[in-house]
Amino acid sequence: MPDPSARNAALRELKEFRVDVRSCLTRWGDALFEITDAVLCSEGPVRNLAELSLVPEHARSHGSVQRAMNNGRVDFERLNWSFALHDLPRGPGGGIVLAVDTTPWLRPDAGTSDQRTFCHTYGRAEGAHEMIPGWCYSVVAALTSGPTSWTAPLDARRLCPGEHLQEITAHQLRGVVSRIVALGRWTAGDPPIRIVTDCGYDGPYLAHQLADLPVEVCVRLRGDRVLYQDAPPGGGVGAKGGRPRRHGERFEFHNPDTWQPPAHDTVRNLDKYGNVRVRCFERLHPKLNRQTIWQHHPEPELPILPGTVIRLDVDRLPSGGSPKPLWLWWSRTGADADLADSTWSCFLRRFDLEHTFRYWKQHLGWTSICLRSPAAADRWTALVLAVYTQLRLARPLTADLKRPWEKPLAAHQLTPGRVRRGFRQVRRSLPVLTNAPKPSRPGPGRPPGRRNTRKAPTYEVGNALLGTADQTDKRATEQGPR
């Protein structure tokens, strides 16, 4: 039986979050809030908006669903503060771990939808990489420790055509970390906030842009990268003089002859991967150039950003595939072996964010809804994040309504689908935050036989996102531990 005090605390936090969500819906708020309740209490995957009006928790007409989505208004900034305020989980090591990644909302046939861009996809055609028109969203989420698929999304931003991915990500992370610090979720003396990303991001750039914040960046690198050691003392100036060297010897990932002796070389035994060999190479940095995101750097010299390179070698993968080495660049130097183990453990938890994306799309209907305007897509995305957060907060309150063929699970083991199955019972203990619907009658509509003379404008697909670091390598190479 759960602790009554813990259950009351969880119920109080869920009530407070629902009040915050309702206050963020500033136009058509009652209809938008009932849409979230309909998603939470509906049976099965969400397919379209009209069917949500058939759920008993939605007391309004089916036409109000579409009008609220098209004409409503959401205070996104205030909603993001609410995400960071309630039950921020802790990752491996007891600190806050943030994962950032992009996920597409594919709209290849939506010619009347504006601000579409080419989104990178994988696996749609025999494992091939394709660029499909759609809306691309950058999501920041806090990760938990242990084997779980739960995450805590803190911010979601749609990327417009022509925007630079690295700049937008740095701005987005700065906002999330600033809110965490301002709300007291991180205080002086706590472990630094760790940011884990995949190889599509420029880790040194993010570490440089967020250097004034209490963060550390850990990013996956491709297996063909080349980094450099520190320059020799004095710059290595020859007898004829000349400019001092800024970079030392090369460190080629694919050439062990260029590797320096590792600072730490340890072996861990894990049930899923067997023996895991971890080697840490200190003070390695990339050679920056102005043909990338650094083209607008104000100083004449590009910075030297040393970090620690971590290589992981495992005996086996849970999927049965052939294991390949995993390379990580960590913005911290001079750390011990235990701290390095905590860092790569945090990176392995980054893959939980992919399970979150899959649940949003397959069960909550995030990309199944047909919306025309990008503003309506942003509202629907905000509602999906609010729905998922309510499921996470309701986990200690939900009974396990398992199917006859399913195994019983403890409260801390419930999946998002099992929590959603029992949310209707939890909702009975929550206050009503919407007004009663007003009676109305539908308009006359278009007269029979008259065609629509106001055709919707069509838009060309915008440019691909700038600054993606070889997205084709994102899934196809270096399939290390996950």
Side-chain angles (χ1 to χ4, degrees):
M1 293 295 292
D3 185 9
S5 60
R7 180 180 177 85
N8 293 334
L11 182 60
R12 182 171 59 255
E13 190 160 18
L14 178 59
K15 291 179 180 179
E16 293 175 355
F17 179 76
R18 286 171 61 87
V19 171
D20 291 344
V21 172
R22 179 59 188 87
S23 63
C24 295
L25 309 178
T26 56
R27 181 186 293 175
W28 287 83
D30 290 341
L32 290 174
F33 192 79
E34 287 190 358
I35 290 175
T36 63
D37 279 352
V39 176
L40 286 165
C41 300
S42 61
E43 296 288 341
V46 177
R47 298 303 182 189
N48 56 69
L49 287 175
E51 289 184 354
L52 292 177
S53 63
L54 304 178
V55 180
E57 285 72 15
H58 191 278
R60 287 164 170 78
S61 64
H62 65 276
S64 66
V65 179
Q66 193 69 44
R67 288 194 297 270
M69 200 61 63
N70 292 332
N71 305 321
R73 182 180 297 169
V74 180
D75 190 344
F76 298 102
E77 183 67 21
R78 184 174 179 178
L79 187 60
N80 290 336
W81 281 90
S82 299
F83 291 144
L85 180 62
H86 297 279
D87 189 25
L88 191 64
R90 304 288 168 161
I96 299 176
V97 181
L98 302 179
V100 58
D101 202 356
T102 58
T103 182
W105 182 343
L106 301 182
R107 302 299 306 277
D109 300 325
T112 58
S113 296
D114 195 10
Q115 299 183 16
R116 290 183 302 158
T117 185
F118 287 102
C119 305
H120 173 263
T121 59
Y122 173 77
R124 285 172 56 91
E126 298 296 335
H129 299 267
E130 295 180 306
M131 302 299 289
I132 307 297
W135 293 315
C136 186
Y137 280 84
S138 174
V139 179
V140 179
L143 304 180
T144 61
S145 60
T148 176
S149 61
W150 288 96
T151 63
L154 301 175
D155 189 21
R157 187 187 187 282
R158 180 173 48 84
L159 303 175
C160 297
E163 289 185 332
H164 206 293
L165 176 63
Q166 312 300 334
E167 292 180 350
I168 298 302
T169 303
H171 178 75
Q172 189 179 19
L173 287 172
R174 175 172 292 276
V176 172
V177 175
S178 300
R179 289 190 289 269
I180 291 175
V181 175
L183 292 172
R185 296 302 185 182
W186 183 93
T187 57
D190 293 345
I193 300 174
R194 290 173 178 165
I195 299 173
V196 293
T197 68
D198 210 351
C199 62
Y201 293 87
D202 191 335
Y205 175 80
L206 296 179
H208 180 73
Q209 293 296 316
L210 306 176
D212 58 325
L213 297 175
V215 300
E216 295 177 357
V217 178
C218 181
V219 59
R220 183 167 73 95
L221 299 179
R222 300 181 331 216
D224 59 351
R225 290 292 300 270
V226 176
L227 300 184
Y228 294 85
Q229 304 178 22
D230 290 335
V237 180
K240 297 183 180 179
R243 182 180 180 181
R245 294 177 57 185
R246 302 187 70 238
H247 309 284
E249 299 297 329
R250 292 166 60 93
F251 185 96
E252 302 175 3
F253 287 5
H254 60 280
N255 186 6
D257 296 335
T258 63
W259 299 355
Q260 64 193 51
H264 308 291
D265 190 348
T266 60
V267 178
R268 301 284 189 270
N269 187 272
L270 301 179
D271 296 336
K272 295 175 60 177
Y273 306 109
N275 291 328
V276 179
R277 185 182 180 185
V278 183
R279 283 175 282 183
C280 301
F281 303 92
E282 289 282 348
R283 300 198 63 81
L284 294 174
H285 64 271
K287 181 183 292 185
L288 307 179
N289 62 80
R290 295 189 180 274
Q291 282 71 42
T292 58
I293 185 62
W294 298 95
Q295 60 181 339
H296 301 300
H297 188 69
E299 300 178 4
E301 292 283 355
L302 294 178
I304 300 294
L305 303 172
T308 300
V309 171
I310 303 175
R311 174 185 165 113
L312 271 69
D313 296 277
V314 300
D315 290 341
R316 61 180 182 272
L317 295 177
S319 61
S322 177
K324 296 182 180 180
L326 176 67
W327 292 92
L328 303 175
W329 184 88
W330 181 24
S331 62
R332 181 167 180 170
T333 58
D336 55 17
D338 293 337
L339 194 58
D341 288 342
S342 177
T343 299
W344 62 260
S345 298
C346 292
F347 179 83
L348 296 186
R349 296 261 57 86
R350 190 204 68 83
F351 297 100
D352 296 340
L353 190 57
E354 298 182 3
H355 297 291
T356 301
F357 293 157
R358 185 180 300 111
Y359 182 75
W360 290 357
K361 296 178 180 180
Q362 296 182 356
H363 296 273
L364 301 185
W366 177 41
T367 57
S368 300
I369 304 300
C370 295
L371 299 173
R372 176 180 296 176
S373 68
D378 294 343
R379 297 185 197 102
W380 173 242
T381 302
L383 296 185
V384 170
L385 265 66
V387 166
Y388 186 82
T389 303
Q390 292 185 62
L391 292 176
R392 183 171 57 86
L393 297 178
R395 184 167 48 162
L397 310 171
T398 309
D400 184 16
L401 303 181
K402 69 180 188 67
R403 300 290 188 254
W405 54 86
E406 295 176 341
K407 296 181 179 180
L409 297 176
H412 67 280
Q413 296 177 328
L414 291 178
T415 62
R418 300 274 274 264
V419 174
R420 180 172 174 236
R421 198 180 295 166
F423 190 87
R424 177 168 288 164
Q425 284 72 18
V426 177
R427 186 178 178 274
R428 296 173 182 174
S429 304
L430 302 175
V432 178
L433 301 178
T434 58
N435 299 316
K438 298 179 181 179
S440 62
R441 98 178 29 169
R446 189 185 311 124
R450 180 177 297 181
R451 294 184 178 181
N452 183 16
T453 58
R454 295 184 298 177
K455 298 295 183 180
T458 59
Y459 303 93
E460 297 292 336
V461 181
N463 297 326
L465 296 174
L466 303 178
T468 53
D470 195 359
Q471 293 285 350
T472 59
D473 180 71
K474 189 172 184 180
R475 297 178 183 268
T477 64
E478 296 187 9
Q479 295 181 0
R482 50 180 301 173

